[in-house]
């Protein structure tokens, strides 16, 4: 059902934060939470919290959740499995007659994807205090509208500074997610227990050259911004491949060409780069090498290059206590699991700054994600939901 809230034809899904389809998806989700008897609240950036009150409501709650926004032409499962799976875990526990001690809270995070405002995990960054309320004015979408204007139009007014969580809001955070990689499927293992989340960085490089007539300007002396960008893009790929770490990944996912006419030499190009490694030190070293490569290409090609960092985050480590709750759940269910690292980022990256965190991965077909053919089998989703339910139950009754 959630996949029908999309701006593109199925099987592809596009659901950009605060678009009409995102707002429809949110209200459908809130209705399901209300039907499950959960008390919902929303903060000023649209993070949604659905709470199952425990007998010890005075204690920090146990939380779970993920996101429902979807990048252009992606699939049905990224994020959604953690939100609807979180709700299903709660409903299953309710049906079983379980009574939580600590409250259990399901969070639907705003804009885990960077599509609209250029920065990933917007909601969880604000919750963890990793961003200040100044982003209300500094972050703008492609139409030039500020975060403040967009969220207010979507019905989320109020003070952005109030989004930050109180200290000790949660005793634990567990996120269920598809692996977005091939290992679990390849090894026929239904559950991955995430020990670390890679350090993501992203930045824009603007290259200024000289435009001109594609016919009239002879080749010698051209300062073609797109040719310079092409060299840089290949150099970024080479540097990531030769970092010495199998975990280094670099992607140039956006490229804007100005003026964008087939018979005009590109005078300005802006590329968007995503760079990650499990080891923040390796990630930073490759980042420095990319900066040096940009300087040398800009000298050789007589163009100017300017780099604007969007984010350069630290990696996260899971909490042994939460890992143990997940592995015990797998033990109770007698299903195999393996420890795994996440090269994708998740809201858990930021939740780990405010609560002991761990993640549950389930396999996805051929490791495919961020594509319309993303797929997770219903049996694997069911196993993930049961592991999540058992983990939440154990963490909820742990009141020590
Ligand atoms: C999240 O979608 C990521 O890009 O890792
Ligand atoms: Mn994603
Ligand atoms: Mn995701």
């Amino acid at each position: 059902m959630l996949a029908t809230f999309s701006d593109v034809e199925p099987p592809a899904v596009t659901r950009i934060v605060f678009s009409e389809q995102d707002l429809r998806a949110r209200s459908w989700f809130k209705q399901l939470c209300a039907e499950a008897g959960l008390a919902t609240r929303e903060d000023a950036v649209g993070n949604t919290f659905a709470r199952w009150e425990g007998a010890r409501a005075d204690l920090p709650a146990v939380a779970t959740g993920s996101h429902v926004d979807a990048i252009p032409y992606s699939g049905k499962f990224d994020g959604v499995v953690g939100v609807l799976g979180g709700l299903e875990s709660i409903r299953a526990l309710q049906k079983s007659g379980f009574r939580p001690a600590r409250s259990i809270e399901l969070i639907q995070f705003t804009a885990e994807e960077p599509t609209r405002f250029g920065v990933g995990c917007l909601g969880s960054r604000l919750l963890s205090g990793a961003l200040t309320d100044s982003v209300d004015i500094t972050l703008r979408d492609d139409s030039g509208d500020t975060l403040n204007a967009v969220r207010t139009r979507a019905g989320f007014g109020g003070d952005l500074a109030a989004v930050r969580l109180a200290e000790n809001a949660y005793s634990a955070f567990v996120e269920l997610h598809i692996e977005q990689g091939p290992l679990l499927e390849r090894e026929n293992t239904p559950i991955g227990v995430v020990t670390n989340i890679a350090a993501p960085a992203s930045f824009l490089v603007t290259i200024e050259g000289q435009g001109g007539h594609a016919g009239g300007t002879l080749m010698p002396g051209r300062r073609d911004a797109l040719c310079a960008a092409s060299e840089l893009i290949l150099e970024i790929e080479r540097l990531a491949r030769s970092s010495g770490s199998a975990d280094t990944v670099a992607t140039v996912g956006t490229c804007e060409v100005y003026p964008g006419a087939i018979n005009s030499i590109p005078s300005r190009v802006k590329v968007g780069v995503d760079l990650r490694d499990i080891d923040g030190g390796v990630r930073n070293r490759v980042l420095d090498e990319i900066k040096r490569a940009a300087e040398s290409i800009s000298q050789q090609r007589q163009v100017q290059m300017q780099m604007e960092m969007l984010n350069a985050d630290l990696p996260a480590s899971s909490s042994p206590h939460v890992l143990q709750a997940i592995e015990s759940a797998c033990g109770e269910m007698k299903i195999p699991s393996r420890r795994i690292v996440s090269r994708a980022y998740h809201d858990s990256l930021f939740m780990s700054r405010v609560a002991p965190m761990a993640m549950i991965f389930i396999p996805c077909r051929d490791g495919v994600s961020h594509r319309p053919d993303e797929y997770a089998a219903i049996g694997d989703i069911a196993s993930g939901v049961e592991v999540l339910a058992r983990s939440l139950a154990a963490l909820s009754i742990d009141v020590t």
Side-chain angles (χ1 to χ4, degrees):
M1 175 70 184
L2 199 60
T4 64
F5 302 120
S6 167
D7 282 322
V8 291
E9 288 297 307
V13 179
T14 299
R15 197 165 41 242
I16 308 301
V17 68
F18 299 143
S19 64
E20 197 186 321
Q21 296 296 344
D22 178 54
L23 297 178
R24 288 180 59 209
R26 286 163 177 268
S27 63
W28 179 73
F29 167 67
K30 281 184 286 181
Q31 190 188 323
L32 290 187
C33 292
E35 282 164 14
L38 308 180
T40 58
R41 78 177 172 90
E42 291 164 318
D43 66 17
V45 78
N47 291 313
T48 307
F49 306 81
R51 191 176 178 94
W52 184 16
E53 195 83 351
R56 295 294 311 273
D58 55 311
L59 293 177
V62 176
T64 185
S66 197
H67 61 101
V68 299
D69 63 324
I71 65 165
Y73 296 94
S74 58
K76 296 187 181 74
F77 299 89
D78 175 5
V80 170
V81 165
V83 175
L84 296 187
L87 179 58
E88 198 48 38
S89 301
I90 291 175
R91 289 200 294 216
L93 289 172
Q94 288 172 334
K95 253 194 223 151
S96 74
F98 175 77
R99 308 279 309 149
R102 294 176 185 275
S103 300
I104 297 180
E105 200 155 285
L106 171 62
I107 310 174
Q108 185 270 115
F109 294 97
T110 285
E112 191 265 356
E113 303 289 7
T115 318
R116 185 156 190 174
F117 292 105
V119 58
C121 301
L122 179 60
S124 49
R125 273 179 204 272
L126 285 161
L127 284 173
S128 70
L131 281 182
T132 64
D133 60 345
S134 61
V135 295
D136 216 12
I137 303 302
T138 55
L139 288 183
R140 287 175 187 269
D141 67 8
D142 278 348
S143 341
D145 290 340
T146 60
L147 171 61
N148 184 278
V150 176
R151 72 182 174 91
T152 307
R153 244 183 355 244
F156 303 104
D159 183 3
L160 208 58
V163 169
R164 188 174 183 162
L165 285 170
E167 239 168 86
N168 289 324
Y170 298 117
S171 62
F173 179 77
V174 194
E175 181 173 0
L176 172 65
H177 205 282
I178 58 169
E179 181 197 341
Q180 305 182 291
L183 296 184
L184 296 176
E185 182 185 57
R186 195 182 289 161
E187 294 173 6
N188 204 13
T189 305
I191 297 293
V193 187
V194 175
T195 54
N196 301 82
I197 304 176
S202 58
F203 54 95
L204 300 172
V205 186
T206 304
I207 299 141
E208 297 270 1
Q210 193 166 51
H213 195 287
T217 318
L218 292 173
M219 296 309 285
R222 281 198 188 194
R223 293 164 53 216
D224 183 323
L226 187 55
C227 291
S230 308
E231 264 192 48
L232 179 66
I233 291 168
L234 290 177
E235 193 54 15
I236 289 171
E237 182 190 47
R238 193 189 66 74
L239 290 168
R241 280 183 197 272
S242 60
S243 74
S245 154
D247 291 315
T248 310
V249 285
T251 309
V252 178
T254 59
C255 181
E256 289 166 27
V257 181
Y258 182 85
I262 197 166
N263 57 352
S264 183
I265 299 167
S267 60
R268 185 171 68 241
V269 171
K270 195 189 242 189
V271 294
V273 190
D274 179 302
L275 172 67
R276 317 180 188 201
D277 196 284
I278 296 298
D279 182 329
V282 174
R283 194 272 321 270
N284 288 343
R285 181 168 51 75
V286 177
L287 185 57
D288 287 342
E289 287 168 358
I290 292 173
K291 284 182 187 159
R292 282 198 291 277
E295 275 164 28
S296 121
I297 295 165
S298 68
Q299 271 174 17
Q300 276 161 25
R301 287 196 164 262
Q302 297 287 296
V303 296
Q304 281 174 355
M305 291 203 195
Q306 251 190 1
M307 205 183 259
E308 180 195 343
M309 285 311 294
L310 298 174
N311 65 292
D313 303 306
L314 295 170
S317 301
S318 297
S319 136
H321 182 61
V322 186
L323 284 177
Q324 200 202 350
I326 297 171
E327 287 176 337
S328 303
C330 295
E332 284 161 22
M333 291 165 62
K334 300 195 175 23
I335 57 170
S337 67
R338 63 160 280 172
R339 292 193 166 196
I340 193 167
V341 298
S342 174
R343 270 169 282 272
Y345 58 72
H346 302 282
D347 293 302
S348 290
L349 184 67
F350 293 93
M351 291 306 285
S352 74
R353 299 185 183 195
V354 289
M357 170 286 296
M359 291 186 73
I360 302 165
F361 272 0
I362 58 167
C364 55
R365 189 173 60 200
D366 297 330
V368 163
S369 184
H370 283 185
R371 277 179 21 192
D373 54 339
E374 178 181 86
Y375 177 77
I378 189 72
D380 288 328
I381 298 175
S383 300
V385 167
E386 185 171 343
V387 173
L388 177 62
R390 288 175 183 271
S391 307
L392 293 175
L395 292 163
S396 152
I397 57 176
D398 179 2
V399 293
T400 52

